[in-house]
Amino acid sequence: DAGITQSPRYKITETGRQVTLMCHQTWSHSYMFWYRQDLGHGLRLIYYSAAADITDKGEVPDGYVVSRSKTENFPLTLESATRSQTSVYFCASSDQGWGNQPQHFGDGTRLSIL
Amino acid sequence: GEDVEQSLFLSVREGDSSVINCTYTDSSSTYLYWYKQEPGAGLQLLTYIFSNMDMKQDQRLTVLLNKKDKHLSLRIADTQTGDSAIYFCANTGNQFYFGTGTSLTVIP
């Protein structure tokens, strides 16, 4: 089925380790986004991408790295995980830029950093 | 930056109407959105309203937009237990700004 898939769904790792969260979409949407969801903060934008090889920072980019070598994939890497990065991470995609089209979300990755 | 506010919790009895409120500060958006998040799932687009509209109705859902007061609301008629979820409003100035989410509990 077409859609947006995230992997893994659950991940436990240790402080200081590198971890990569995967996101894959089959709609050929131009825009892709990474959010983190924390209680009391709603969703906060980490990074976004307007097209392959074009990425930009969102509200909370520190400690994260993204790449977009192919339109359909947008991995998020925590280079040296910290406990404050324990969160639920959502990937989203959209056919157009901000606001004019809705964003479509994956089911999330629940990341725990011990 | 943009500030989108929602109350955190709402409880209603099955069959009653639910009203979820949202206030925002950036009035430059073209569309405002409502998303629903069920436990363990991502956000699912529920409905949206164009910024030059005051009201939009979609089956049991009614969206009201008061641009003067920068207030958005979502009314769910005949609320069912399956409507229990977290509801997010999103304003879309130069990016998507999500509220903190309102957790709706429907009491049988």
Side-chain angles (χ1 to χ4, degrees), chain A residues 31-35 45 47-48 74 90-92 94 98 103:
Chain A
Y31 285 79
M32 296 188 75
F33 310 86
W34 274 107
Y35 293 90
L45 182 65
Y47 269 96
Y48 68 97
F74 191 38
F90 288 101
C91 180
S94 177
W98 305 111
Q103 294 186 4

Side-chain angles (χ1 to χ4, degrees), chain B:
Chain B
E2 169 63 337
D3 191 16
V4 182
E5 298 281 344
Q6 296 179 244
S7 54
L8 289 179
F9 302 101
L10 176 66
S11 292
V12 299
R13 294 208 172 272
E14 190 174 17
D16 288 350
S17 292
S18 308
V19 179
I20 302 170
N21 294 302
C22 173
T23 59
Y24 57 93
T25 56
D26 185 347
S27 57
S28 65
S29 54
T30 304
Y31 291 94
L32 294 98
Y33 296 88
W34 282 104
Y35 283 83
K36 176 183 180 182
Q37 183 183 31
E38 296 184 351
L43 276 70
Q44 174 188 3
L45 178 66
L46 204 55
T47 187
Y48 63 93
I49 188 166
F50 191 48
S51 58
N52 70 354
M53 297 171 62
D54 297 324
M55 184 180 82
K56 178 181 179 181
Q57 187 141 6
D58 184 1
Q59 298 183 334
R60 293 191 296 123
L61 305 178
T62 303
V63 179
L64 296 178
L65 177 60
N66 183 328
K67 291 182 287 293
K68 174 176 173 289
D69 293 338
K70 299 180 182 177
H71 182 268
L72 181 73
S73 68
L74 174 70
R75 178 177 180 270
I76 305 173
D78 186 24
T79 311
Q80 302 297 308
T81 54
D83 294 323
S84 292
I86 301 175
Y87 291 81
F88 291 89
C89 64
N91 191 14
T92 60
N94 62 348
Q95 64 174 298
F96 263 71
Y97 296 98
F98 288 90
T100 52
T102 299
S103 179
L104 172 65
T105 301
V106 181
I107 304 165

